[in-house]
Amino acid sequence: MSTWIDFAVYATLIVLIFVLLPRNGRQFTVPTIADRNPQWFAANRDVVERLESSRWFLHVCYVWAAVSIAVLLGVALDLIAPPFGAVAPKWELLKDLNGTFVLFGLLGWGVCTLLWFRWLRAHVPLAETRRASLKPRVASDYLALPWRVAVETLTVLHLGAWVVIGAMGLGGGARYWSGFVFIAAMTILFAAIAAAVPRRRPGFADRVFGDGLRRAELEAACLLRLMPLIPGGMLISEQVYGLDPDRVGHLLLVSVIIAMFLLLLGLRPVSPSSSPFGAGSRINA
């Protein structure tokens, strides 16, 4: 496999996280403030305009993306020596460097997010609250039947393959079955997370994004439920067939993460009139 495939996948992830998502996220600043307190929003347009015009966070994200991709490109072209004198295949160096850049970038993003919500709580008081009745929600309200059937079918086939291979004596004994327990636990955990999504209490994000948020969450949960297939396939390939699937498996995992982030890019704020709760309304937890 060409090293450029690894580079393309990792560069796509970096551009998605540190270029496209920050640009897309700027459109949520104003609706978030307006949802928290419409009266404060109307009385402090100058503050809102300064927040809208601020670009420092975007610029920091762009610089981080540029540096990250430049380093990965330098390693791919052999222009940059492996850090700390590391001796490893080039694909593994790219994997480790990408993970490092993404991890530290997300940590910085998380700190900025916490500071933003701290500012919001400190300067924008909550509007008056009201109670609203909530209808029960189920996955079928948001996901088409083919989505649900595909996820359940692939999950059953995956676990069934583990059982059949083990029963045929091809799995390698206790180590194989411990891997099966790990994969089964992942499957159950992600299924529980997916089941909890439609039952989650709506909050300000639901008022900003409308039903599109819940739908995106459920689609992401479906992808999450399919993620055990990747490490499961890796373990079977290694223990049954003696293959080394680390490179392909890691690229597949990153590709699934990219798909989940693409779902977030599709979110758009709804107008107050189309919000299921109405302008300025709030639900007590």
Side-chain angles (χ1 to χ4, degrees):
M1 181 189 301
S2 172
T3 302
W4 294 108
I5 296 177
D6 303 73
F7 172 79
V9 171
Y10 298 142
T12 300
L13 179 66
I14 289 171
V15 169
L16 187 60
I17 295 177
F18 300 113
V19 177
L20 299 182
L21 283 178
R23 284 177 59 88
N24 191 58
R26 290 192 68 252
Q27 66 181 315
F28 307 146
T29 302
V30 171
T32 299
I33 297 174
D35 172 79
R36 183 174 176 86
N37 193 321
Q39 291 75 28
W40 189 97
F41 175 83
N44 294 272
R45 287 296 304 175
D46 56 328
V47 178
V48 175
E49 289 172 1
R50 286 199 301 271
L51 288 173
E52 283 187 287
S53 61
S54 176
R55 295 289 190 276
W56 71 267
F57 179 71
L58 279 180
H59 293 161
V60 170
C61 288
Y62 293 166
V63 169
W64 188 253
V67 170
S68 303
I69 293 176
V71 172
L72 293 178
L73 182 61
V75 171
L77 294 173
D78 295 320
L79 299 177
I80 299 177
F84 311 114
V87 179
K90 189 177 293 184
W91 69 265
E92 193 169 343
L93 290 174
L94 291 174
K95 172 179 72 72
D96 293 341
L97 286 170
N98 172 74
T100 301
F101 280 119
V102 170
L103 175 62
F104 281 98
L106 289 178
L107 286 175
W109 196 353
V111 170
C112 292
T113 301
L114 290 175
L115 292 175
W116 155 246
F117 281 110
R118 180 181 178 183
W119 179 92
L120 192 67
R121 289 192 299 269
H123 293 84
V124 184
L126 281 171
E128 293 184 1
T129 62
R130 72 172 177 86
R131 294 186 179 274
S133 59
L134 303 175
K135 67 174 184 178
R137 292 175 172 84
V138 293
S140 58
D141 293 336
Y142 304 94
L143 289 180
L145 182 62
W147 268 87
R148 307 195 305 276
V149 171
V151 171
E152 301 299 339
T153 301
L154 289 172
T155 299
V156 171
L157 289 176
H158 177 222
L159 295 178
W162 273 87
V163 174
V164 170
I165 291 173
M168 294 174 62
L170 302 176
R175 186 166 177 262
Y176 176 87
W177 290 111
S178 64
F180 171 73
V181 171
F182 170 72
I183 295 299
M186 286 181 60
T187 302
I188 294 171
L189 173 62
F190 293 160
I193 293 174
V197 169
R199 297 174 176 83
R200 174 184 59 77
R201 281 180 176 269
F204 83 91
D206 296 88
R207 294 187 291 276
V208 173
F209 302 124
D211 283 342
L213 174 64
R214 188 93 54 168
R215 185 173 296 106
E217 286 178 331
L218 280 166
E219 291 172 352
C222 285
L223 292 176
L224 190 66
R225 287 195 58 187
L226 294 177
M227 286 188 73
L229 275 68
I230 298 174
M234 293 169 65
L235 288 171
I236 289 177
S237 299
E238 180 182 3
Q239 296 185 26
V240 177
Y241 300 106
L243 302 177
D244 183 7
D246 286 353
R247 183 179 184 182
V248 174
H250 186 79
L251 290 176
L252 287 174
L253 285 172
V254 173
S255 299
V256 173
I257 294 172
I258 289 173
M260 294 174 71
F261 278 121
L262 287 173
L263 292 174
L264 296 179
L265 280 177
L267 290 174
R268 294 293 183 272
V270 297
S271 62
S273 60
S274 62
S275 169
F277 305 107
S281 66
R282 189 163 305 282
I283 294 177
N284 290 327

